[in-house]
């Protein structure tokens, strides 16, 4: 992995000379990429003004991630811009078809590119990793069309290697669970509604406060389906009444525990997209 890191550093130094805008969600991939940019700037004796972090504030992303992004960028001492975007103004996103992510990413990253051009940053980069290229990720097609660069993927970093690099950097995000957008909690074809997305976010926050960092609250009409790691089943069942009542209070009629456990791309599998 050392040779990969050296190649990554060389690429980032080249990009930094003209200024880079990092799409920053505060997830492990974008956090590692942002820290790597700061390290590369220091190595090349370039000012941190060459780096800007951009975070999208949207109804499809948990507000807790935005707060974390603000904290990290303040610690690093780099420019941080929050771009407020209403994805639900895009009919293709609201319809929640299997290509939803393409339309969403096109809308988000078009705004990031506009910001970069207006503020003198030559490139927009993101935290896509090599594993993402093997999964169903229609959003990748959108960012490629826009010319967004993915240094981690281009240098062959898998998700496991990104986490390993985070650990080497001493970053707490090394073990942080993935937090995909809230639309992934609903079956394809279910129209996205702000009120439902809000209930999903509140429901997952209930689970987080109960100690389940890795979780999803999938929604099927008035039924809330909890996905957690199988080894956490006993802990959840020991608090069954407390947790179920809290989630029911959000307006659901039923709460279930999925015996298959937490799995990424749940609805992609149903649609045989992966």
């Amino acid at each position: 992995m050392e040779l990969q890191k050296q190649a990554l550093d060389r690429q980032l130094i080249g990009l930094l000379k003209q200024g880079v805008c990092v799409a920053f969600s505060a997830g492990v991939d974008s956090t590692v990429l942002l820290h790597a940019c700061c390290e590369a700037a220091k190595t090349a004796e370039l000012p941190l003004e060459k780096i800007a972090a951009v975070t999208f504030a949207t109804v499809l992303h948990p507000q807790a991630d935005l707060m974390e992004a603000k904290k990290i960028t303040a610690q690093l001492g780099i420019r941080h811009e929050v771009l407020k975007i209403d994805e639900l103004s895009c009919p293709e996103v609201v319809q929640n078809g299997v290509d939803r992510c393409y339309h969403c990413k096109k809308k988000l990253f078009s705004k990031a590119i506009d910001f970069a051009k207006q503020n003198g940053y030559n490139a927009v980069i993101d935290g896509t990793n090599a594993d993402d290229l093997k999964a169903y990720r229609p959003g990748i097609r959108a960012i490629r069309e826009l010319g967004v660069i993915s240094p981690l993927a281009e240098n062959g970093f898998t998700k496991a290697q990104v986490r390993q690099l985070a650990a080497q950097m001493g970053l707490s995000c090394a073990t942080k669970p993935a937090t995909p957008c809230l639309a992934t909690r609903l079956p394809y074809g279910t129209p996205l509604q702000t009120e439902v997305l809000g209930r999903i976010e509140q429901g997952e926050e209930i689970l987080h406060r109960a100690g389940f960092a890795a979780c999803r609250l999938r929604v099927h009409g008035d039924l809330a389906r909890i996905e957690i790691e199988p080894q956490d089943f006993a802990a959840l069942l020991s608090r069954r009444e407390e947790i179920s009542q809290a989630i029911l209070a959000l307006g659901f009629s039923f709460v279930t525990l999925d015996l298959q456990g937490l799995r990424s791309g749940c609805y992609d599998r149903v649609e045989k997209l992966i």
Side-chain angles (χ1 to χ4, degrees), residues 156-172:
F157 281 92
T158 64
K159 188 71 171 189
Q161 289 175 320
V162 172
R163 291 192 182 280
Q164 183 181 346
L165 189 54
Q168 291 176 0
M169 291 176 166
L171 304 178
S172 60

Side-chain angles (χ1 to χ4, degrees), residues 24-33 65 68-69 72 159 162-163 173 176-179:
F24 183 54
S25 67
V28 60
D29 298 312
S30 63
T31 299
V32 165
L33 182 61
D65 291 345
E68 183 68 10
I72 292 170
K159 188 71 171 189
V162 172
R163 291 192 182 280
C173 67
K176 182 179 180 180
T179 54

Side-chain angles (χ1 to χ4, degrees), residues 98-109 126 128 132-133 135-148 150 188:
V98 295
D99 61 347
R100 177 203 68 242
C101 193
Y102 170 83
H103 298 287
C104 186
K105 292 290 187 184
K106 199 72 174 280
K107 188 175 184 66
L108 297 180
F109 279 86
D126 85 319
T128 299
D132 292 329
L133 303 181
Y136 180 68
R137 297 284 190 274
I140 292 178
R141 178 164 60 94
I143 66 174
R144 291 293 173 269
E145 290 174 359
L146 293 169
V148 174
S150 302
Y188 287 118

